[in-house]
Amino acid sequence: ELEGRSVEGLQIAETPRLRLREWKQEDLGRVAPIYGDPGLTQWIGDGSPRDQAAWAAEIERCRRLYRERGFGLWAVEIRENGALIGHCGLQDLDGGSEIALGYALASEWRGQGYALEAARAVIDYGFATLGIERIVAATQPNNVSSIRVLERLGMTFVNEAEHYGKRLAVYGLSAPAKLG
């Protein structure tokens, strides 16, 4: 029952190094160093850094998705020290009916396996807990690091298509077959 539950910071998954949880209002003061970084924002949305007002609206959108759909983009923290390093989660793919994996980590945290670790946890949650049958991901065709993560997750190239106002490479993964 999603409707009556509290959405303030509910933990979705924990991995050996990370905690994925719902966004909280107090996170708003912690997002500027992450989403103000052009090294990150070049890969998401329209490519421009997001200000606090844009992130306040995004957090509210995610909280609405948690209530209505049981998923959204979740905050990603380092378990050891509570550092907020970005987001990873599920959302509707722009312009379509498919559920898409989305993730972005601050520049200083990339290249350490965190995106792969968070994305695996989200995919497992989507398949096992939510019963989603197929998850896609869309990335810029020149985002080699992201493509590498998607391929390591077992996703395969589907096509290039227009999403979020850009031509993006779409990858997909189907849920494992259920036994018995």
Side-chain angles (χ1 to χ4, degrees), residues 73-101:
L73 297 177
W74 296 299
V76 178
E77 292 178 328
I78 302 289
R79 284 179 56 188
E80 184 178 83
N81 60 16
L84 180 64
I85 65 170
H87 71 262
C88 186
L90 299 169
Q91 60 186 352
D92 295 316
L93 181 64
D94 176 60
S97 59
E98 295 191 274
I99 305 299
L101 169 71

Side-chain angles (χ1 to χ4, degrees), residues 125-136:
Y125 181 83
F127 289 154
T129 303
L130 299 176
I132 296 170
E133 293 182 13
R134 180 170 170 76
I135 295 174
V136 298

Side-chain angles (χ1 to χ4, degrees), residues 5-173:
R5 73 186 175 108
S6 166
V7 295
E8 265 301 300
L10 182 71
Q11 186 171 301
I12 299 305
E14 212 167 72
T15 70
R17 301 182 298 164
L18 302 173
R19 179 178 304 106
L20 282 73
R21 61 163 176 79
E22 295 179 349
W23 289 96
K24 303 180 285 193
Q25 280 308 124
E26 50 271 25
D27 290 328
L28 199 51
R30 301 170 64 195
V31 297
I34 301 169
Y35 299 103
D37 172 14
L40 167 69
T41 58
Q42 68 177 321
W43 303 116
I44 61 175
D46 66 4
S48 63
R50 296 181 183 173
D51 63 14
Q52 196 163 11
W55 264 97
E58 181 64 14
I59 287 173
E60 282 310 307
R61 183 184 79 86
C62 289
R63 292 164 56 94
R64 187 181 69 254
L65 278 173
Y66 304 150
R67 288 189 305 273
E68 294 172 1
R69 304 288 305 274
F71 60 77
L73 297 177
W74 296 299
V76 178
E77 292 178 328
I78 302 289
R79 284 179 56 188
E80 184 178 83
N81 60 16
L84 180 64
I85 65 170
H87 71 262
C88 186
L90 299 169
Q91 60 186 352
D92 295 316
L93 181 64
D94 176 60
S97 59
E98 295 191 274
I99 305 299
L101 169 71
Y103 58 88
L105 300 181
S107 297
E108 68 198 83
W109 300 102
R110 283 190 245 139
Q112 300 173 53
Y114 291 125
L116 184 64
E117 192 173 321
R120 273 196 182 123
V122 166
I123 287 171
D124 289 348
Y125 181 83
F127 289 154
T129 303
L130 299 176
I132 296 170
E133 293 182 13
R134 180 170 170 76
I135 295 174
V136 298
T139 188
Q140 294 179 39
N142 63 336
N143 190 343
V144 177
S145 297
S146 188
I147 289 170
R148 198 172 309 125
V149 167
L150 299 178
E151 290 173 343
R152 288 188 65 197
L153 290 166
M155 292 186 141
T156 55
F157 179 77
V158 176
N159 63 18
E160 276 197 23
E162 189 81 18
H163 295 288
Y164 309 104
K166 297 179 183 175
R167 190 103 183 127
L168 298 176
V170 179
Y171 286 73
L173 181 66

